[in-house]
Amino acid sequence: MDRLIIKGGARLKGSVTISGSKNASLPICIAAVLAPGASTIANVPHLRDITTTSTLLQSLGATVERAGSSLRIDAASINTVEATYDLVKTMRASVLVLGPLLARFGRARVSLPGGCAIGARPIDQHLKGLKALGAEIRLEHGYVEALCKKWLKGARINFDLSTVGGTEHLMMAAALAKGETILENAAREPEIVDLAAYLNLMGAHVEGAGTDTIRIQGVEQLTPADYEVMPDRIEAGTFMIAAAITGGDVMIHNMKLEHLDALCFKLQDAGVEITSKDGVVRVQGPRRPRAVNIKTRPYPGFPTDMQAQFMALMCVADGASVISENIFENRFMHVSELQRFGADITIEGKSATVKGLRKLSGAPVMATDLRASASLVLAGLVAENITEISRIYHLDRGYELLESKLSGLGACIERVQGP
Ligand code: EPZ
């Protein structure tokens, strides 16, 4: 099994280019199912989750071809409407295929995803929405079986909480429903805006994405469209923290700073300098960051997907910070691994108190989920001596070429294979 070996202490310097967004690519590739024909989706990163998405689409009968960073998805040949447990358990976002299949073919059978390392992550809001659109839903043998008359029917849906996947799922299904759908208390993440733009290029009528009320006028048919996915804001944020934690000076290309306002404010409070010129963002780390408190919230609040990485930064900050996780109930699994670097962290309920130390010391650690793994890499970049991270297949789900991008900035990091 691959491991990462990091020798800490290098100040990162130079330029890095951010890849296409994983969390925007997934629903956009799945939305291609809505139109009988071939869409080319550009700026799709090479990641395990994308390979799983391709396998999922192929298992339905679609043709998927990769050329560089583009995926050509031909959904004309879809001939089955079932997504099996094998696929859905490796990637929860596979469940998003339920609504598009149902909207286009009138029926679908998709495995329930089951538990997840960071929280229970139910899909009750997705199912409540599909029922409101007229679907008949049965849960049997671990599968969701959904049926509708010829068309789904537009409806007013009020989410009980802000759900990114739920909003995306209902937006896709409603695009082919008869009449108007209004999604209230919708999530506002940039990935939702990106998906809406792709749907509209396919001929959908989606308005208000990026606000908490989205109106969708259903159409009878969508047509394939070519689209370029937005840059990955979480990868960009992770590189901003890599620059900050090493006291580095990094120029970040192909990122949208406006997607990371909440993170930027907190980094600036911690003493990090952030400037932007001609679309390139420069991040200069302080000699030592100041301690800052954060609370994760739905967008535009501080992203839960940056919580672990920010915690790594706070481990070496001057002072104590309180980090509250409000989105997922079990997203502190990196804490016990960060403690192996000597970090002083205590957890009480939804909050972790981090007392910053001048030094961390390299250690063998284990990745537990995607963003937790990123926090271990960041800690390894500043820790004394050698850090060895195992189970890095989690990182390969969400960070394209992480070690070569970090090496390009001067980090001492390499991937080794074998026991
Ligand atoms: C998306 O997950 C992202 N995944 C996650 O990124 C991200 O952490 C999360 O949004 C929050 O920003 C993708 O986009 C593929 P939610 P999603 O529905 O859509 C609860 C990463 O590291 N909930 O917004 O599954 C849920 O349990 C990943 O890249 C319900 O209770 O998240 C959670 O507590 C991990 N019922 C909260 O809402 C539902 O029906 C937010 O979940 C749906 C969600």
Side-chain angles (χ1 to χ4, degrees), residues 60-111:
L60 301 173
T63 313
V64 184
E65 286 159 9
R66 195 182 253 283
S69 66
S70 293
L71 277 191
R72 182 177 178 279
I73 302 169
D74 190 340
S77 49
I78 288 184
N79 51 20
T80 128
V81 291
E82 173 164 332
T84 61
Y85 180 51
D86 279 356
L87 288 165
V88 183
K89 76 168 189 240
T90 33
M91 191 189 69
R92 303 180 60 81
S94 312
V95 87
L96 297 183
V97 81
L98 177 68
L101 286 174
L102 179 66
R104 184 171 150 201
F105 298 101
R107 63 195 172 88
R109 185 169 188 268
V110 173
S111 169

Side-chain angles (χ1 to χ4, degrees), residues 22-24 26-27 92-93 96 118-127 161-166 168 187 189 191 233-234 304-305 326-329 331 369-371:
K22 165 182 85 85
N23 287 347
L26 298 178
R92 303 180 60 81
L96 297 183
I118 59 175
R121 302 183 75 182
I123 56 160
D124 57 307
Q125 298 301 305
H126 303 225
L127 300 183
L161 44 70
S162 172
T163 159
V164 177
E168 291 166 345
E189 271 67 2
E191 292 76 11
R233 64 190 171 106
I234 305 301
T304 174
D305 289 347
N326 297 304
I327 308 294
F328 292 108
E329 52 298 3
R331 211 172 196 184
D369 76 71
L370 173 54
R371 309 305 170 187

Side-chain angles (χ1 to χ4, degrees), residues 83-294:
T84 61
Y85 180 51
D86 279 356
L87 288 165
V88 183
K89 76 168 189 240
T90 33
M91 191 189 69
R92 303 180 60 81
S94 312
V95 87
L96 297 183
V97 81
L98 177 68
L101 286 174
L102 179 66
R104 184 171 150 201
F105 298 101
R107 63 195 172 88
R109 185 169 188 268
V110 173
S111 169
L112 278 166
C116 172
I118 59 175
R121 302 183 75 182
I123 56 160
D124 57 307
Q125 298 301 305
H126 303 225
L127 300 183
K128 162 181 133 167
L130 291 175
K131 278 184 199 160
L133 294 181
E136 210 179 282
I137 305 258
R138 278 191 308 166
L139 301 182
E140 257 181 24
H141 310 300
Y143 277 73
V144 184
E145 300 197 353
L147 276 176
C148 67
K149 301 225 171 77
K150 196 157 176 250
W151 298 103
L152 289 170
K153 275 213 308 268
R156 197 168 139 201
I157 296 160
N158 190 291
F159 291 108
D160 296 349
L161 44 70
S162 172
T163 159
V164 177
T167 303
E168 291 166 345
H169 202 164
L170 273 297
M171 225 162 71
M172 291 189 277
L176 279 185
K178 251 202 167 14
E180 183 181 58
T181 297
I182 304 175
L183 303 179
E184 293 169 347
N185 195 23
R188 293 183 280 165
E189 271 67 2
E191 292 76 11
I192 292 168
V193 179
D194 218 33
L195 173 62
Y198 172 56
L199 290 171
N200 285 341
L201 269 185
M202 294 170 101
H205 295 295
V206 181
E207 259 178 37
T211 75
D212 62 6
T213 306
I214 302 178
R215 286 173 187 272
I216 304 133
Q217 303 290 342
V219 295
E220 269 189 26
Q221 201 178 4
L222 293 170
T223 47
D226 297 343
Y227 190 70
E228 182 172 332
V229 172
M230 63 180 254
D232 196 304
R233 64 190 171 106
I234 305 301
E235 187 198 8
T238 303
F239 275 97
M240 291 177 88
I241 295 188
I245 203 169
T246 60
D249 185 353
V250 174
M251 310 293 279
I252 307 182
H253 297 252
N254 191 38
M255 71 170 281
K256 292 199 169 164
L257 197 53
E258 65 273 24
H259 289 170
L260 282 165
D261 278 350
L263 172 68
C264 287
F265 283 126
K266 291 296 179 180
L267 285 175
Q268 283 164 335
D269 287 351
V272 180
E273 262 190 53
I274 303 168
T275 47
S276 167
K277 198 174 163 205
D278 302 330
V280 181
V281 176
R282 181 175 186 185
V283 182
Q284 293 167 280
R287 277 163 84 88
R288 191 172 177 202
R290 288 188 291 269
V292 177
N293 299 336
I294 59 161

Side-chain angles (χ1 to χ4, degrees), residues 327-338:
I327 308 294
F328 292 108
E329 52 298 3
N330 192 25
R331 211 172 196 184
F332 279 142
M333 276 179 317
H334 41 287
V335 168
S336 49
E337 296 302 307
L338 289 172

